[in-house]
Amino acid sequence: EAGVTQFPSHSVIEKGQTVTLRCDPISGHDNLYWYRRVMGKEIKFLLHFVKESKQDESGMPNNRFLAERTGGTYSTLKVQPAELEDSGVYFCASSLFRGGTDTQYFGPGTRLTVL
Amino acid sequence: DAKTTQPPSMDCAEGRAANLPCNHSTISGNEYVYWYRQIHSQGPQYIIHGLKNNETNEMASLIITEDRKSSTLILPHATLRDTAVYYCIVRVAGLPSGSARQLTFGSGTQLTVLP
């Protein structure tokens, strides 16, 4: 079974540009999460999809970040316009809620550098 | 979700058991204990989770005290590849609506396995 995949693995852009990150969850997983880790800080939650619906987007830092999950399959996270403080590693995780809980499986992450 | 406390760092000799403690004195009856690890900048890797009983899988064992206020992750025969940051996360079981929810990462324990 394929794991969670993310694309690209690295992205270097200039301040003010737009970047779109993609996450492909494990097949059949309804839940999809985005997290990020900025330099020196802890991994922080961004948002959570259940199928194509946003269940919780309380962790999104501001309206420069837009996440979508078309058809309840893959998800994209767009940053527009990117700022220096957006640099970090963005992780995606997916899970299947079953038996009262779920186990999240993470992708390898996308390292974003904003210059 | 209840707060957890972990030592910032630990060393372990290769081939020996690594015992990583976690304190979660405010844990509620419906909260699970999850363990993840992050090797370098890779995506967090799920290890194990439990509610009340001790658990074992191919990676590790989880020992939860009877009062559930603390737990220990045991890697029975640590290898150099087990060097990573280990996160103990307490997470409530499904919300009243029965939905999944995000993980809250702390700073974890840096485990270094020494040759």
Side-chain angles (χ1 to χ4, degrees):
Chain A
E1 179 183 279
V4 177
T5 58
Q6 294 186 244
F7 182 83
S9 57
H10 293 84
S11 180
V12 181
I13 61 173
E14 293 188 351
K15 176 182 173 181
Q17 290 186 322
T18 297
V19 63
T20 300
L21 314 181
R22 173 171 170 143
C23 168
D24 285 82
I26 294 172
S27 177
H29 280 194
D30 290 342
N31 295 285
L32 188 149
Y33 302 82
W34 284 97
Y35 295 82
R36 76 171 178 178
R37 182 175 205 158
V38 296
M39 184 67 71
K41 299 292 182 62
E42 298 168 355
I43 298 171
K44 294 292 187 185
F45 164 78
L46 294 178
L47 88 158
H48 168 206
F49 284 99
V50 178
K51 297 184 180 178
E52 68 276 4
S53 300
K54 292 177 184 176
Q55 176 79 11
D56 181 356
E57 51 184 329
S58 62
M60 294 287 263
N62 52 60
N63 58 11
R64 294 185 295 102
F65 288 76
L66 175 63
E68 296 179 326
R69 190 179 183 195
T70 306
T73 54
Y74 70 91
S75 174
T76 57
L77 180 64
K78 180 190 289 187
V79 185
Q80 179 182 29
E83 298 289 344
L84 299 178
E85 64 264 25
D86 300 332
S87 295
V89 184
Y90 290 75
F91 296 106
C92 173
S94 73
S95 72
L96 185 63
F97 187 75
R98 184 166 48 194
T101 188
D102 69 315
T103 297
Q104 295 180 29
Y105 297 94
F106 284 76
T110 293
R111 180 174 295 279
L112 174 64
T113 302
V114 183
L115 302 175
Chain B
D1 298 328
K3 181 178 172 57
T4 62
T5 303
Q6 299 178 252
S9 64
M10 294 181 63
D11 292 340
C12 176
E14 188 177 18
R16 304 296 295 269
N19 297 277
L20 293 94
C22 179
N23 182 284
H24 32 78
S25 58
T26 61
I27 193 170
S28 300
N30 64 343
E31 290 183 309
Y32 286 82
V33 179
Y34 277 81
W35 284 83
Y36 282 78
R37 71 181 182 183
Q38 187 176 28
I39 299 172
H40 286 299
S41 295
Q42 297 177 21
Q45 179 187 24
Y46 166 76
I47 302 173
I48 199 167
H49 74 280
L51 183 61
K52 297 179 182 177
N53 300 319
N54 298 337
E55 302 288 344
T56 296
N57 63 20
E58 65 279 3
M59 289 183 67
S61 294
L62 173 60
I63 307 299
I64 302 174
T65 58
E66 191 169 344
D67 62 8
R68 302 185 69 244
K69 293 184 177 182
S70 65
S71 60
T72 301
L73 178 74
I74 301 173
L75 307 179
H77 306 286
T79 70
L80 299 179
R81 289 178 295 179
D82 291 321
T83 293
V85 178
Y86 287 76
Y87 297 98
C88 170
I89 300 170
V90 169
R91 180 165 172 258
V92 70
L95 294 171
S97 64
S99 62
R101 57 179 295 167
Q102 72 272 24
L103 296 166
T104 300
F105 288 84
S107 52
T109 295
Q110 171 66 59
L111 174 69
T112 302
V113 180
L114 304 171

